[in-house]
Amino acid sequence: MTRSLGGAESTAARLRTAIAGGHHLPGAQLSEERLSDELGVSRNTLREAFRLLAQERLVEHVFHRGVFVRRLTAEDVRDLYAARRVLETAGVRACSPESPALSDAVTAVDAAQAAAAAGRWAEVGTADIRFHAALVRAVPSERLHGLMDSLLAEMRLAFLSTDDPAAFHADFVERNRAIVAALLDGDRDTAASLLGDYLDDAERTLVTAATAGAPRT
């Protein structure tokens, strides 16, 4: 049983990476037969992997149709950003100039800027995710860290709904830099204000994208 679960977790991780990389777009059906062959795993292992991803809200089972990558609604996006505001604001408020979490956030911003300069846009998106995860690491709570990681995994579905996910992340690189600059100066109020504006603008963009991409009924 442990071996089976481990195989399912490994398979789920591979699928999670493929989804985050845009290889399976929101709304796409995940063929059990094809993926079983591609990944070299049994149907049972793949079904267990689907179950794990469904718990993370990355895929959904549609009765009599199969498994699909979730397409977030505008309300999903609003809900995700409501949660992110609570967690990331708490992270900013807990952050000091000496915090290891802030050091990790600076490293993520540096990586994003270097990737953007080289036109490696997928890496920009990954670094942006790391930046926001790092902010929450300033709060000494493993449960909150896990919750933030789960939210950010789901956020990737929202990013993929934009016309140009790379450009979406690139637009916020300098704003991430401004947030860490304020935190390095010990100015948590300014950092919190900059973060609030950032999240408001990002939410507005993604809500528009989710609304435009909603299936017609």
Side-chain angles (χ1 to χ4, degrees):
M1 177 63 72
T2 301
R3 197 158 42 241
S4 174
L5 182 57
E9 289 174 338
S10 174
T11 301
R14 293 167 68 185
L15 287 171
R16 190 184 300 112
T17 298
I19 291 169
H23 299 294
H24 304 295
L25 295 175
Q29 184 170 9
L30 299 177
S31 166
E32 194 174 284
E33 180 179 3
R34 179 174 58 79
L35 286 173
S36 179
D37 290 339
E38 284 183 6
L39 300 175
V41 298
S42 70
R43 296 274 186 105
N44 285 339
T45 296
L46 186 60
R47 288 168 190 154
E48 179 62 18
F50 284 158
R51 186 187 68 79
L52 294 173
L53 293 175
Q55 289 178 342
E56 299 175 20
R57 301 188 180 204
L58 297 181
V59 305
E60 59 186 348
H61 294 263
V62 179
F63 192 57
H64 286 325
R65 292 187 58 202
V67 178
F68 294 79
V69 178
R70 280 193 67 219
R71 179 185 282 116
L72 299 187
T73 66
E75 190 53 42
D76 286 325
V77 173
R78 293 187 186 99
D79 192 17
L80 284 166
Y81 272 89
R84 286 186 62 184
R85 282 187 186 87
V86 172
L87 295 182
E88 294 188 50
T89 300
V92 164
R93 292 297 181 187
C95 211
S96 69
E98 301 77 25
S99 171
L102 180 54
S103 178
D104 290 343
V106 171
T107 298
V109 172
D110 289 343
Q113 288 189 316
R120 299 192 301 269
W121 301 114
E123 292 179 30
V124 174
T126 298
D128 186 44
I129 291 287
R130 283 170 42 212
F131 167 77
H132 290 283
L135 290 181
V136 176
R137 260 58 181 182
V139 182
S141 169
E142 291 294 332
R143 287 177 174 81
L144 290 185
H145 302 169
L147 177 56
M148 184 61 175
D149 290 345
S150 177
L151 291 175
L152 290 175
E154 196 174 351
M155 279 301 309
R156 287 184 180 270
L157 297 180
F159 300 147
L160 291 171
S161 70
T162 63
D163 290 335
D164 189 347
F168 173 84
H169 290 293
D171 285 345
F172 290 99
V173 172
E174 290 303 322
R175 297 175 75 166
N176 289 348
R177 176 67 72 188
I179 292 169
V180 297
L183 289 172
L184 287 169
D185 287 340
D187 189 348
R188 294 171 178 168
D189 288 340
T190 294
S193 178
L194 290 170
L195 175 67
D197 290 343
Y198 175 122
L199 295 175
D200 287 347
D201 290 345
E203 178 185 1
R204 191 176 302 111
T205 298
L206 294 177
V207 164
T208 298
T211 302
R216 298 286 186 261
T217 58

